[in-house]
Each structure stands twice: as C-alpha cells, then as structure tokens.
C-alpha cells in the first residue's frame, strides 16, 4: 500500500536513519578485556580418612581481612564435614558470605573419598556433574622439624599451649610461627605467619585452627561436632539428578 503523503514518509525515514547513525557514533567503546577477578579457596580443618572414628560436623571459617586505610572485612563459611567408621569422608566447598547466610546458597561442590575403593568423587552443584578419579588415602601426619628450611629463608618455631576442653573433648594446643626473610615471597621486610592448633587425640583431628598471615588476614576455623555416631550411608552416594563421569582410566598426555 502506497503512503498517503510521500514527503512525510521521506522525512520519517531520514529521521530514523539519523537516530541510528547518532546511536552508532555514541555507542561506548570497549576499553578493556575480560577479567574473572580473584578466586580464593581456603581449606578448612584437614581430616584424615581414619577408620573407627566416625563423626558428623560443621566446618566453620571466619575470615577477617584488613582494609587499606583502616577497618576490616569479615566473611563466613559453613560446610559439612563427615567421616564414617570405614574412614569415608564427605566434604563441601562453599563461597564466603556475610554472617548467617544460608549454606545452601553458597555451596559450590562436594566430594566423597572412599579409602576402600580408592576413589575420589567430586560433584559440581551448578553443572550437576560428578567426576570419579583415583585416590590414595593419607592415614598419617608428620610434623615438620623446627628450625630453618627453604635454604635458610624461613624459620619455624613451635610452642606448647597446654591442654583444655573444647566441646567436652580434651584438646592439646600448639602454636607454630614461621618467619620469612625479606625477598622470599616478594616481601621487602621480615614477615611472620602463625598457626594455632587445638587437637583432639580422641578423634585424631584438630577441632580449632587459627591462621594469621599479614598477606591474607586471619582465618579462624572451628570443627563443630554434631554427632559421634556413624552417619547415614546415603551421605556417601551421589544424589539423584547428578551425572557421573569415571575418569580413572582416562589417558593423560605426556608431561
């Protein structure tokens, strides 16, 4: 159908072309490339897959970092940590968030370690995909000797803090400090890191660890024991709705 007013049509078309041209000229120009930003993973209490010492617990981390110019930022993390009588482990990895955040909203992934079948199953919550890889359980731990190491650039000291009771369990305290010489990690002066441990001989696990590092702040970690009975075996099975990919026999490229 022909327009009733050809002049009006021409004016309208010219106006629209001018608008598109102006938009193209004023569109913002890209000034940088993409950047994913920092992604920091802070491990909780290290639990060995020891048989005969079951528990169900919450692994709580309080991370306090100084703000340049004064003040601080404090974030929180709450993750499940479970061990059964076979030594099987269920662990979770979460994002840090503000106080009282729902742990379900911060869950990134969870893992199941089977010391009998020598399998490690890691499941991603976002993709609902689990990967099975080989696993060699670590059943013992040896303390590093005090003194210098790293070619004399670092020095470890260890101090006993005695005993006390945490969650009705007897614990043994130890304070370790590592002095790092200037230039070792890009530092222009001597820095000192410290770790305070409160260890339960009954569970053969730390119940509390406090890490202090001027590079990242203070991390206070507490293992809150909820039960010392064997957990429900279903904890160690992949939930419905997750796909499982067995990578144990995937050929690796030569190094």
């Amino acid at each position: 159908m022909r327009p009733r007013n050809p002049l009006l049509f021409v004016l309208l078309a010219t106006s629209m072309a001018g608008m598109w041209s102006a938009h193209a000229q004023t569109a913002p120009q890209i000034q940088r490339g993409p950047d994913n930003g920092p992604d920091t993973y802070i491990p909780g209490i290290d639990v060995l897959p020891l048989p005969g010492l079951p528990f169900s617990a919450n692994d709580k981390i309080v991370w306090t970092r100084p703000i340049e110019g004064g003040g601080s930022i404090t974030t929180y993390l709450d993750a499940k940590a479970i061990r059964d009588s076979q030594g099987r482990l269920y662990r979770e990895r979460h994002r840090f968030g503000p106080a009282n955040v729902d742990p379900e909203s911060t869950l990134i992934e969870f893992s199941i370690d089977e010391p009998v079948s020598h399998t490690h199953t890691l499941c991603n919550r976002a993709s609902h995909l689990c990967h099975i890889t080989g696993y060699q359980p670590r059943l013992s731990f040896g303390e590093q000797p005090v003194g210098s190491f790293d070619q004399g650039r670092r020095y470890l000291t260890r101090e006993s803090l005695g005993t006390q009771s945490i969650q009705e369990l007897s614990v043994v305290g130890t304070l370790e400090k590592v002095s790092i010489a200037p230039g070792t990690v890009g530092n222009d002066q001597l820095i000192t890191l410290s770790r305070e441990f409160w260890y339960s001989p009954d569970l053969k696990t730390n119940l509390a660890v406090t890490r202090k590092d001027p590079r990242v702040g203070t991390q206070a970690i507490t293992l809150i024991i909820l039960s010392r009975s064997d957990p429900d075996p279903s904890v160690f099975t992949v939930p419905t709705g997750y796909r499982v990919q067995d990578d144990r026999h995937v050929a690796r490229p030569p190094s």
Side-chain angles (χ1 to χ4, degrees), residues 94-107:
H94 289 252
R95 294 186 303 273
F96 280 89
N100 302 318
V101 66
D102 180 8
E104 286 298 316
S105 67
T106 61
L107 179 62

PDB file of all heavy atoms in Angstrom, residues 94-107:
ATOM      1  N   HIS A  94      32.349 -24.166  49.889  1.00  0.00           N
ATOM      2  CA  HIS A  94      31.373 -23.084  49.809  1.00  0.00           C
ATOM      3  C   HIS A  94      32.055 -21.765  49.459  1.00  0.00           C
ATOM      4  O   HIS A  94      33.264 -21.603  49.640  1.00  0.00           O
ATOM      5  CB  HIS A  94      30.648 -22.912  51.152  1.00  0.00           C
ATOM      6  CG  HIS A  94      29.689 -24.008  51.478  1.00  0.00           C
ATOM      7  ND1 HIS A  94      28.321 -23.846  51.440  1.00  0.00           N
ATOM      8  CD2 HIS A  94      29.892 -25.295  51.860  1.00  0.00           C
ATOM      9  CE1 HIS A  94      27.725 -24.968  51.792  1.00  0.00           C
ATOM     10  NE2 HIS A  94      28.671 -25.866  52.045  1.00  0.00           N
ATOM     11  N   ARG A  95      31.261 -20.810  48.997  1.00  0.00           N
ATOM     12  CA  ARG A  95      31.714 -19.437  48.877  1.00  0.00           C
ATOM     13  C   ARG A  95      31.570 -18.755  50.232  1.00  0.00           C
ATOM     14  O   ARG A  95      30.691 -19.096  51.021  1.00  0.00           O
ATOM     15  CB  ARG A  95      30.877 -18.655  47.852  1.00  0.00           C
ATOM     16  CG  ARG A  95      31.003 -19.130  46.427  1.00  0.00           C
ATOM     17  CD  ARG A  95      30.239 -18.174  45.504  1.00  0.00           C
ATOM     18  NE  ARG A  95      28.842 -18.062  45.900  1.00  0.00           N
ATOM     19  CZ  ARG A  95      27.885 -18.870  45.491  1.00  0.00           C
ATOM     20  NH1 ARG A  95      28.161 -19.857  44.671  1.00  0.00           N
ATOM     21  NH2 ARG A  95      26.637 -18.706  45.898  1.00  0.00           N
ATOM     22  N   PHE A  96      32.422 -17.767  50.489  1.00  0.00           N
ATOM     23  CA  PHE A  96      32.276 -16.963  51.692  1.00  0.00           C
ATOM     24  C   PHE A  96      31.117 -15.995  51.521  1.00  0.00           C
ATOM     25  O   PHE A  96      30.789 -15.557  50.414  1.00  0.00           O
ATOM     26  CB  PHE A  96      33.562 -16.189  51.985  1.00  0.00           C
ATOM     27  CG  PHE A  96      34.617 -17.005  52.650  1.00  0.00           C
ATOM     28  CD1 PHE A  96      35.541 -17.721  51.900  1.00  0.00           C
ATOM     29  CD2 PHE A  96      34.695 -17.077  54.032  1.00  0.00           C
ATOM     30  CE1 PHE A  96      36.512 -18.488  52.509  1.00  0.00           C
ATOM     31  CE2 PHE A  96      35.666 -17.840  54.660  1.00  0.00           C
ATOM     32  CZ  PHE A  96      36.576 -18.545  53.896  1.00  0.00           C
ATOM     33  N   GLY A  97      30.480 -15.663  52.643  1.00  0.00           N
ATOM     34  CA  GLY A  97      29.363 -14.729  52.615  1.00  0.00           C
ATOM     35  C   GLY A  97      29.251 -13.998  53.940  1.00  0.00           C
ATOM     36  O   GLY A  97      30.067 -14.184  54.848  1.00  0.00           O
ATOM     37  N   PRO A  98      28.234 -13.156  54.089  1.00  0.00           N
ATOM     38  CA  PRO A  98      28.035 -12.442  55.346  1.00  0.00           C
ATOM     39  C   PRO A  98      27.558 -13.390  56.445  1.00  0.00           C
ATOM     40  O   PRO A  98      27.292 -14.572  56.201  1.00  0.00           O
ATOM     41  CB  PRO A  98      26.964 -11.406  54.996  1.00  0.00           C
ATOM     42  CG  PRO A  98      26.222 -12.025  53.854  1.00  0.00           C
ATOM     43  CD  PRO A  98      27.231 -12.793  53.069  1.00  0.00           C
ATOM     44  N   ALA A  99      27.451 -12.879  57.651  1.00  0.00           N
ATOM     45  CA  ALA A  99      27.010 -13.702  58.787  1.00  0.00           C
ATOM     46  C   ALA A  99      25.599 -14.226  58.544  1.00  0.00           C
ATOM     47  O   ALA A  99      24.755 -13.552  57.940  1.00  0.00           O
ATOM     48  CB  ALA A  99      27.057 -12.881  60.071  1.00  0.00           C
ATOM     49  N   ASN A 100      25.358 -15.464  58.991  1.00  0.00           N
ATOM     50  CA  ASN A 100      24.041 -16.097  58.952  1.00  0.00           C
ATOM     51  C   ASN A 100      23.522 -16.341  57.536  1.00  0.00           C
ATOM     52  O   ASN A 100      22.314 -16.500  57.330  1.00  0.00           O
ATOM     53  CB  ASN A 100      23.011 -15.269  59.731  1.00  0.00           C
ATOM     54  CG  ASN A 100      23.407 -15.069  61.182  1.00  0.00           C
ATOM     55  OD1 ASN A 100      23.887 -16.000  61.844  1.00  0.00           O
ATOM     56  ND2 ASN A 100      23.248 -13.855  61.686  1.00  0.00           N
ATOM     57  N   VAL A 101      24.414 -16.399  56.543  1.00  0.00           N
ATOM     58  CA  VAL A 101      23.981 -16.713  55.188  1.00  0.00           C
ATOM     59  C   VAL A 101      23.587 -18.190  55.114  1.00  0.00           C
ATOM     60  O   VAL A 101      24.159 -19.031  55.818  1.00  0.00           O
ATOM     61  CB  VAL A 101      25.094 -16.391  54.169  1.00  0.00           C
ATOM     62  CG1 VAL A 101      26.296 -17.309  54.360  1.00  0.00           C
ATOM     63  CG2 VAL A 101      24.579 -16.485  52.745  1.00  0.00           C
ATOM     64  N   ASP A 102      22.592 -18.520  54.291  1.00  0.00           N
ATOM     65  CA  ASP A 102      22.123 -19.895  54.144  1.00  0.00           C
ATOM     66  C   ASP A 102      23.198 -20.720  53.441  1.00  0.00           C
ATOM     67  O   ASP A 102      23.567 -20.416  52.299  1.00  0.00           O
ATOM     68  CB  ASP A 102      20.827 -19.905  53.327  1.00  0.00           C
ATOM     69  CG  ASP A 102      20.280 -21.311  53.144  1.00  0.00           C
ATOM     70  OD1 ASP A 102      20.808 -22.260  53.773  1.00  0.00           O
ATOM     71  OD2 ASP A 102      19.312 -21.473  52.364  1.00  0.00           O
ATOM     72  N   PRO A 103      23.732 -21.782  54.065  1.00  0.00           N
ATOM     73  CA  PRO A 103      24.792 -22.575  53.422  1.00  0.00           C
ATOM     74  C   PRO A 103      24.368 -23.176  52.089  1.00  0.00           C
ATOM     75  O   PRO A 103      25.211 -23.403  51.214  1.00  0.00           O
ATOM     76  CB  PRO A 103      25.092 -23.665  54.463  1.00  0.00           C
ATOM     77  CG  PRO A 103      24.662 -23.088  55.762  1.00  0.00           C
ATOM     78  CD  PRO A 103      23.469 -22.239  55.446  1.00  0.00           C
ATOM     79  N   GLU A 104      23.072 -23.435  51.920  1.00  0.00           N
ATOM     80  CA  GLU A 104      22.614 -23.999  50.656  1.00  0.00           C
ATOM     81  C   GLU A 104      22.841 -23.043  49.496  1.00  0.00           C
ATOM     82  O   GLU A 104      23.032 -23.464  48.359  1.00  0.00           O
ATOM     83  CB  GLU A 104      21.125 -24.365  50.749  1.00  0.00           C
ATOM     84  CG  GLU A 104      20.839 -25.602  51.570  1.00  0.00           C
ATOM     85  CD  GLU A 104      21.489 -26.850  50.982  1.00  0.00           C
ATOM     86  OE1 GLU A 104      21.416 -27.037  49.754  1.00  0.00           O
ATOM     87  OE2 GLU A 104      22.099 -27.627  51.737  1.00  0.00           O
ATOM     88  N   SER A 105      22.847 -21.753  49.781  1.00  0.00           N
ATOM     89  CA  SER A 105      23.023 -20.757  48.721  1.00  0.00           C
ATOM     90  C   SER A 105      24.486 -20.527  48.378  1.00  0.00           C
ATOM     91  O   SER A 105      24.786 -19.887  47.362  1.00  0.00           O
ATOM     92  CB  SER A 105      22.387 -19.427  49.136  1.00  0.00           C
ATOM     93  OG  SER A 105      23.096 -18.843  50.228  1.00  0.00           O
ATOM     94  N   THR A 106      25.410 -21.032  49.178  1.00  0.00           N
ATOM     95  CA  THR A 106      26.842 -20.803  48.940  1.00  0.00           C
ATOM     96  C   THR A 106      27.585 -22.064  48.517  1.00  0.00           C
ATOM     97  O   THR A 106      28.785 -22.008  48.246  1.00  0.00           O
ATOM     98  CB  THR A 106      27.509 -20.243  50.207  1.00  0.00           C
ATOM     99  OG1 THR A 106      27.363 -21.196  51.284  1.00  0.00           O
ATOM    100  CG2 THR A 106      26.880 -18.917  50.620  1.00  0.00           C
ATOM    101  N   LEU A 107      26.892 -23.209  48.445  1.00  0.00           N
ATOM    102  CA  LEU A 107      27.553 -24.470  48.104  1.00  0.00           C
ATOM    103  C   LEU A 107      28.044 -24.451  46.658  1.00  0.00           C
ATOM    104  O   LEU A 107      27.286 -24.160  45.735  1.00  0.00           O
ATOM    105  CB  LEU A 107      26.589 -25.642  48.309  1.00  0.00           C
ATOM    106  CG  LEU A 107      27.123 -27.041  47.961  1.00  0.00           C
ATOM    107  CD1 LEU A 107      28.316 -27.397  48.835  1.00  0.00           C
ATOM    108  CD2 LEU A 107      26.016 -28.080  48.092  1.00  0.00           C
TER     109      LEU A 107
END
